[in-house]
């Protein structure tokens, strides 16, 4: 965000060298819709005071940028607006170039985790169970996996795995996180078994999830894990949008029913602007004989797979058995294919 043409020329040159495209906002009004979702924000010194007056919310990965003499006293105003860094040009050009390289879509493959998001087309669609199955399957493939519960009304993904008795931090203890979170410290603090780590909700007072906490968590997960699965609420809040924008692929789970398809159309309309790679998973039974291909066509999405009814899965969940843990059944087979397609790592099937 800057109206300084000379500063803009310098930043565009660095962005091009780092292989990153940028969006320009000349003032806070133009920046407001992208302020929270953007993975990185560079705020020109000329817009620092307007930013304060506009009362834009504090966010992680905000850098105050200017030339020597423009930022006096730089750290005082940086603290007021919540900037993590003050970059004084030209001395900070190498550091800024590194920040642009981190955001480049052409960064070497394997330099960050694969992130998958799940959304239910309607309540009770089974998105949380698929999320748990994907996480369990990825961990069985020896991928360092993080399962994130971003739905405060979902009941807790630790229950889906049967992990409610495991010790470790839940979201309420992390809602004050902002800035850059140490990835190894985060993993060590959360409930875990083997290569699978879970960040879920407790059964206490319901809290809203701050955007800064979600951004810091996703950033740490991308740096410290191989595979990240995020279970999102159907009604996207700001924190869910940040998670969805970080996803390499998102799957909408839809029961094979007419009304569920109509409800899913609203979910898709809300999610599509934030994730280009969106697919549908259709879950049976189909009481009206609605075909999976018809559901996908109605939603305008590619069909990622189908799930047949699996009574043994429901019984296992009630007994605290993690979904897809045995490596067999329709859910496990679908999860194995999705994990292999996204990572290139074949997931082990049933013994």
């Amino acid at each position: 965000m800057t109206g300084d043409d000379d500063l803009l020329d310098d930043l565009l040159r660095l962005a091009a060298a780092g292989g990153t495209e940028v969006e320009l906002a000349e003032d806070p009004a133009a920046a407001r819709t992208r302020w929270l979702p953007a993975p990185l924000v560079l705020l020109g010194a000329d817009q620092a005071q307007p930013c304060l007056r506009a009362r834009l919310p504090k966010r992680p990965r905000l850098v105050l940028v200017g030339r020597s003499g423009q930022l006096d006293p730089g750290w005082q105003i940086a603290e007021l607006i919540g900037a993590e860094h003050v970059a004084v040009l030209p001395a900070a050009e190498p550091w800024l170039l590194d920040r642009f390289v981190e955001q480049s879509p052409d960064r070497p493959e394997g330099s960050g985790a694969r992130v998958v998001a799940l959304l239910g087309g309607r309540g009770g669609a089974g998105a949380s169970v698929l999320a748990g199955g994907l996480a369990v399957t990825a961990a069985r493939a020896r991928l360092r996996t993080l399962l994130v519960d971003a739905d405060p009304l979902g009941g807790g993904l630790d229950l889906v795995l049967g992990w409610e008795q495991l010790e470790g931090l839940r979201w309420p203890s992390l809602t004050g996180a902002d800035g850059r979170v140490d990835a190894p410290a985060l993993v060590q603090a959360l409930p875990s078994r083997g290569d699978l780590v879970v960040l879920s909700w407790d059964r206490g007072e319901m809290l809203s999830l701050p955007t800064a906490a979600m951004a810091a968590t996703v950033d740490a997960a991308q740096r410290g894990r191989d595979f990240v699965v995020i279970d999102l609420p159907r009604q996207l809040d700001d924190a869910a949008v940040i998670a969805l924008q970080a996803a390499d692929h998102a799957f909408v789970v839809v029961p094979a029913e007419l009304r569920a398809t109509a409800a899913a159309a609203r979910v898709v309309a809300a999610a599509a602007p934030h994730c280009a790679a969106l697919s549908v998973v259709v879950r049976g039974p189909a009481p009206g004989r609605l075909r999976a291909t018809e559901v996908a066509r109605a939603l305008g999405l590619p069909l990622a797979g189908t799930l047949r009814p699996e009574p043994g899965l429901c019984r296992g969940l009630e007994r605290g058995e993690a979904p897809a843990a045995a490596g067999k059944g329709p859910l496990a087979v679908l999860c194995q294919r999705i994990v292999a397609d996204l990572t290139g790592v074949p997931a082990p099937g049933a013994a």
Side-chain angles (χ1 to χ4, degrees), residues 217-349:
T217 299
V218 170
D219 176 65
Q222 288 175 312
R223 287 182 283 112
R225 298 275 87 187
D226 301 316
F227 197 74
V228 182
V229 183
I230 307 177
D231 186 27
L232 297 176
R234 292 179 60 237
Q235 187 166 348
L236 299 176
D237 54 18
D238 288 339
V241 167
I242 286 177
L244 185 57
Q245 289 183 331
D248 298 294
H249 205 112
F251 298 92
V252 182
V253 183
V254 185
E257 303 166 4
L258 181 60
R259 190 178 177 195
T261 303
R266 293 182 177 272
V267 175
V268 170
H274 306 294
C275 184
L278 201 60
S279 301
V280 62
V281 172
V282 178
R283 181 173 64 81
R289 297 187 178 181
L290 187 62
R291 297 181 179 178
T293 53
E294 294 173 328
V295 174
R297 189 181 307 117
L299 296 176
L301 296 178
L303 179 63
T306 59
L307 286 171
R308 299 193 308 274
E310 202 168 346
L313 172 64
C314 298
R315 292 193 294 268
L317 290 172
E318 291 298 315
R319 293 193 297 264
E321 298 173 5
K328 58 184 179 181
L331 175 65
V333 170
L334 176 62
C335 291
Q336 290 159 16
R337 178 166 59 79
I338 289 175
V339 170
D341 288 347
L342 290 174
T343 67
V345 178

Side-chain angles (χ1 to χ4, degrees), residues 14-283:
L14 291 170
T20 300
E21 294 185 4
V22 299
E23 293 185 40
L24 172 64
E26 294 184 353
D27 54 41
R32 191 172 292 275
T33 58
R34 292 291 295 156
W35 180 257
L36 288 176
L40 175 70
V41 172
L42 304 183
L43 177 64
D46 60 298
Q47 293 299 312
Q49 291 293 344
C51 179
L52 278 176
R53 292 193 294 269
R55 298 180 180 274
L56 293 177
K58 290 189 177 182
R59 54 150 292 143
R61 300 183 70 83
L62 173 63
V63 181
L64 182 60
V65 187
R67 293 183 187 81
S68 180
Q70 292 181 319
L71 291 169
D72 297 330
W75 277 111
Q76 291 175 347
I77 193 167
E79 185 175 354
L80 291 174
I81 63 178
E84 293 180 356
H85 303 280
V86 175
V88 182
L89 302 181
E93 285 193 3
W95 183 85
L96 276 176
L97 178 59
D98 288 343
R99 304 292 77 74
F100 282 124
V101 170
E102 289 177 355
Q103 302 301 321
S104 172
D106 298 323
R107 65 187 185 276
E109 188 172 353
S111 61
R114 300 293 285 178
V115 180
V116 179
L118 281 301
L119 301 104
R122 67 154 168 81
S128 296
V129 174
L130 179 56
L134 285 171
V136 168
T137 301
R140 293 182 74 241
R142 297 293 187 266
L143 294 169
R144 297 172 303 162
T145 305
L146 174 63
L147 176 59
V148 179
D149 187 352
D151 185 1
L153 297 179
L157 282 180
D158 54 351
L159 283 170
V160 173
L161 298 180
W163 287 19
E164 63 271 21
Q165 301 301 324
L166 289 189
E167 294 185 359
L169 297 184
R170 265 67 172 179
W171 266 124
S173 300
L174 295 171
T175 52
D178 56 17
R180 197 169 176 87
V181 174
D182 182 71
L186 176 65
V187 169
Q188 188 175 4
L190 298 176
S192 65
R193 282 179 177 166
D195 288 318
L196 179 55
V197 180
V198 175
L199 176 52
S200 186
W201 294 90
D202 61 13
R203 256 57 68 185
E205 180 182 358
M206 191 181 75
L207 302 171
S208 60
L209 185 53
T211 55
M214 175 59 79
T217 299
V218 170
D219 176 65
Q222 288 175 312
R223 287 182 283 112
R225 298 275 87 187
D226 301 316
F227 197 74
V228 182
V229 183
I230 307 177
D231 186 27
L232 297 176
R234 292 179 60 237
Q235 187 166 348
L236 299 176
D237 54 18
D238 288 339
V241 167
I242 286 177
L244 185 57
Q245 289 183 331
D248 298 294
H249 205 112
F251 298 92
V252 182
V253 183
V254 185
E257 303 166 4
L258 181 60
R259 190 178 177 195
T261 303
R266 293 182 177 272
V267 175
V268 170
H274 306 294
C275 184
L278 201 60
S279 301
V280 62
V281 172
V282 178
R283 181 173 64 81

